[in-house]
């Protein structure tokens, strides 16, 4: 009985840790960041006349603004640059196709007369490649969206935990060290 119970407890513990792994990482980061910003919180606490909840709330809002606003601005610049590059490339290609530069350039390719009879196959493969590329891009966008949502959820959890770590940090530390 005892061996079975020990094995069952071990299996359940491992399963719990596997399921909770990302949450535990988030809590560990919250604890580490709380230790890093705690001196600033102590200063806020004195400014708020020792009202811990108010000081912790205001300090977390300040930290969120100092982290989130620059991150959103950077992401916005990154997206705008990506859109600009794609628009410029599209315009460049369309301009050269309209001017006939592409046909002129192709006529300079050695042995083009041997390639032209296979034009339909080349077009079919190009279409297949374009379709695969579009599918790849859509899949990456889905993955990016999922990752972004996960990041937002874990960031909110981390800030929530940091709020309570700021409030109860010294007490939690005392309990942990006495245990």
């Amino acid at each position: 009985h005892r061996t079975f119970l020990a094995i069952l407890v071990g299996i359940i513990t491992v399963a719990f840790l596997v399921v909770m792994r990302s949450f535990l990482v988030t809590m560990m980061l919250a604890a580490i960041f709380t230790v890093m910003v705690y001196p600033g919180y102590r200063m806020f606490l004195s400014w708020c006349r020792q009202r811990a909840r108010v000081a912790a709330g205001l300090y977390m809002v300040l930290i969120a603004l100092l982290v989130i606003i620059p991150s959103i601005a950077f992401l916005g610049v990154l997206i705008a640059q990506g859109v600009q590059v794609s628009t410029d490339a599209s315009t460049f290609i369309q301009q050269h196709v309209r001017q006939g530069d592409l046909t002129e350039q192709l006529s300079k390719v050695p042995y083009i007369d041997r390639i032209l009879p296979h034009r339909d196959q080349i077009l079919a493969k190009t279409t297949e490649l374009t379709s695969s590329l579009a599918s790849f891009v859509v899949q990456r966008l889905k993955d990016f969206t999922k990752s972004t949502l996960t990041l937002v959820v874990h960031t909110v959890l981390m800030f929530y935990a940091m709020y309570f770590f700021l409030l109860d940090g010294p007490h939690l530390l005392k309990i942990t060290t006495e245990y």
Side-chain angles (χ1 to χ4, degrees):
H1 278 307
R2 290 183 184 205
T3 306
F4 173 74
L5 186 60
I7 291 171
L8 184 63
V9 167
I11 290 171
I12 290 173
T13 302
V14 168
F16 173 78
L17 290 174
V18 167
V19 169
M20 297 299 289
R21 181 180 58 217
S22 65
F23 177 75
L24 293 174
V25 168
T26 302
M27 291 299 110
M28 185 60 88
L29 286 173
I32 291 168
F33 290 144
T34 301
V35 169
M36 289 171 48
V37 300
Y38 197 78
Y41 166 71
R42 303 270 302 160
M43 195 168 51
F44 254 70
L45 191 59
S46 68
W47 290 345
C48 292
R49 297 185 208 135
Q50 302 303 316
R51 291 183 292 188
R53 293 186 192 280
V54 173
L58 288 174
Y59 196 57
M60 290 310 302
V61 168
L62 177 68
I63 291 172
L65 290 175
L66 289 175
V67 170
I68 292 173
I69 289 176
S71 298
I72 290 173
F74 175 73
L75 190 60
V77 167
L78 190 67
I79 290 170
Q81 290 294 315
V83 168
Q84 184 65 39
V85 165
S86 120
T87 303
D88 290 349
S90 175
T91 304
F92 178 77
I93 291 170
Q94 288 174 357
Q95 180 183 7
H96 284 319
V97 168
R98 268 189 246 126
Q99 292 176 354
D101 290 348
L102 187 60
T103 309
E104 184 181 315
Q105 293 295 328
L106 282 177
S107 68
K108 294 178 183 177
V109 173
Y111 306 108
I112 191 71
D113 54 336
R114 293 183 186 172
I115 297 173
L116 285 179
H118 304 290
R119 183 177 179 186
D120 292 336
Q121 288 176 326
I122 293 171
L123 186 59
K125 289 295 183 181
T126 304
T127 304
E128 184 181 321
L129 175 67
T130 306
S131 174
S132 296
L133 184 61
S135 175
F136 175 78
V137 168
V138 167
Q139 184 62 39
R140 292 303 148 252
L141 285 174
K142 283 175 25 181
D143 292 345
F144 178 74
T145 302
K146 180 181 173 187
S147 298
T148 302
L149 182 61
T150 302
L151 176 68
V152 167
V153 168
H154 283 280
T155 302
V156 168
L157 282 173
M158 186 179 76
F159 275 84
Y160 185 73
M162 283 178 70
Y163 171 79
F164 286 102
F165 286 160
L166 285 173
L167 288 177
D168 301 326
H171 180 68
L172 290 172
L173 184 62
K174 181 179 176 189
I175 290 172
T176 305
T177 55
E178 288 176 358
Y179 187 68

